[in-house]
């Protein structure tokens, strides 16, 4: 069920039997020379759409939070970077409102790496307020399974580009994609460090991506995520 499609009275009726909200959280950010700036919103929205088909009247899909914390790639055109403190307080405020509306299970469907540390703090604050939270970071949670299908993993890499192509082939142009291996450790940070680590704002092998691989990945991800949501309901 999609929250923004309901009238207020329909929402009230639905809240008598739904207590789980899926909240896609993404970013508007450069994704190499070949993927749409909305990649980190489009993929979690597609995962939520497919989970909505699995669960039908058991979950509510909320409107996406489309801007995230993108400090590292903010030097590239098209990246909207929200300060981590502001972003964390904003997502916490949204989650708090969901609790007030009566949801008890909050599923954060994250699409963006820069959001991970901030969302960890958000879920702790929401848990203190009574929520049962589940956060998905698809590319890290299921890395091994993803690597079997799309080994050129990375930011705008084979995995992410394939998931985008499976939504709509016009969202990525693999002819423009590069192949890049990061040779800087992830624990090094200075002004301009991401420019050095990601000269094309990408990593992995976007050139190897395909819609067929993306469809295979969605099937793997959605099945596993559905199981994890069912497990959340048992706690
Ligand atoms: Zn991304």
């Amino acid at each position: 069920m999609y929250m923004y499609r309901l009238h207020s009275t329909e929402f009230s009726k639905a809240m008598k039997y739904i207590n789980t909200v899926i909240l896609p959280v993404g970013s508007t950010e450069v994704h190499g020379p070949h993927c749409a700036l909305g990649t980190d919103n489009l993929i979690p929205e597609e995962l939520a759409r497919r989970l909505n088909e699995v669960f039908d009247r058991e979950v509510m899909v909320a409107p996406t939070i489309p801007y995230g914390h993108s400090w590292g790639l903010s030097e590239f055109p098209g990246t909207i970077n929200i300060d981590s403190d502001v972003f964390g307080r904003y997502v916490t405020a949204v989650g708090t409102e969901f609790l007030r509306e009566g949801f008890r299970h909050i599923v954060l469907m994250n699409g963006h790496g820069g959001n991970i540390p901030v969302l960890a703090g958000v879920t702790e604050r929401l848990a203190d307020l009574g929520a049962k939270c589940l956060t998905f970071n698809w590319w890290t949670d299921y890395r091994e399974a993803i690597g079997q299908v799309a080994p050129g993993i990375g930011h705008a890499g084979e995995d992410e580009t394939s998931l985008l192509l499976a939504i709509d082939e016009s969202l990525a142009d693999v002819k423009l994609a590069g192949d890049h291996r990061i040779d800087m450790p992830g624990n090094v940070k200075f002004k301009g460090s991401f420019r050095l680590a990601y000269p094309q704002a990408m990593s992995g092998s976007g050139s190897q991506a395909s819609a067929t691989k993306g469809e295979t990945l969605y099937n793997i991800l959605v099945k596993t995520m559905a199981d994890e949501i069912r497990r959340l309901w048992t706690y």
Side-chain angles (χ1 to χ4, degrees):
M1 195 171 296
Y2 273 81
M3 184 174 176
Y4 60 66
R5 290 175 184 262
L6 301 176
H7 308 160
S8 178
T9 46
E10 293 171 327
F11 178 78
S12 292
K13 279 184 199 156
M15 288 307 291
K16 293 190 192 328
Y17 57 86
I18 290 182
N19 64 16
T20 301
V21 61
I22 299 177
L23 174 61
V25 185
S27 71
T28 301
E29 179 192 69
V30 60
H31 275 74
H34 63 291
C35 289
L37 297 174
T39 296
D40 289 350
N41 299 322
L42 292 160
I43 293 172
E45 284 172 354
E46 178 65 9
L47 289 164
R49 187 187 70 77
R50 292 175 184 238
L51 285 165
N52 187 55
E53 283 182 358
V54 172
F55 289 115
D56 191 21
R57 287 159 59 91
E58 294 176 283
V59 300
M60 184 88 71
V61 178
T64 304
I65 294 180
Y67 304 109
H69 181 58
S70 299
W71 177 85
L73 295 172
S74 59
E75 294 174 51
F76 288 88
T79 298
I80 305 301
N81 172 36
I82 306 301
D83 172 81
S84 59
D85 185 46
V86 172
F87 176 63
R89 283 190 287 123
Y90 180 71
V91 181
T92 302
V94 172
T96 304
E97 281 293 281
F98 285 135
L99 286 172
R100 189 180 60 76
E101 291 285 357
F103 292 105
R104 283 295 163 263
H105 300 100
I106 298 178
V107 179
L108 293 176
M109 182 64 77
N110 182 35
H112 171 58
N115 292 348
I116 291 178
V118 183
L119 294 181
V122 168
T123 52
E124 289 171 2
R125 286 192 285 279
L126 294 177
D128 282 343
L129 294 172
K132 291 181 178 172
C133 296
L134 172 61
T135 307
F136 290 119
N137 301 299
W138 62 264
W139 64 101
T140 59
D141 296 344
Y142 310 111
R143 195 172 182 82
E144 203 177 311
I146 290 169
Q148 305 287 320
V149 179
I153 285 172
H155 178 72
E158 185 178 358
D159 51 342
E160 193 169 37
T161 306
S162 295
L163 288 167
L164 201 55
L165 289 169
I167 300 169
D168 181 341
E169 301 230 24
S170 70
L171 292 167
D173 185 348
V174 291
K175 293 193 296 299
L176 301 175
D179 296 282
H180 179 68
R181 295 273 163 267
I182 303 168
D183 57 6
M184 184 184 291
N187 55 357
V188 174
K189 195 175 274 188
F190 53 87
K191 193 155 179 57
S193 57
F194 273 65
R195 267 270 190 205
L196 283 178
Y198 298 82
Q200 292 179 284
M202 67 157 297
S203 63
S205 305
S207 61
Q208 303 304 307
S210 73
T212 307
K213 289 176 189 170
E215 190 59 34
T216 305
L217 289 175
Y218 277 119
N219 289 333
I220 294 168
L221 294 173
V222 169
K223 185 177 181 308
T224 317
M225 287 173 168
D227 288 343
E228 290 199 45
I229 290 172
R230 289 188 192 97
R231 195 180 313 136
L232 174 70
W233 290 334
T234 68
Y235 299 133

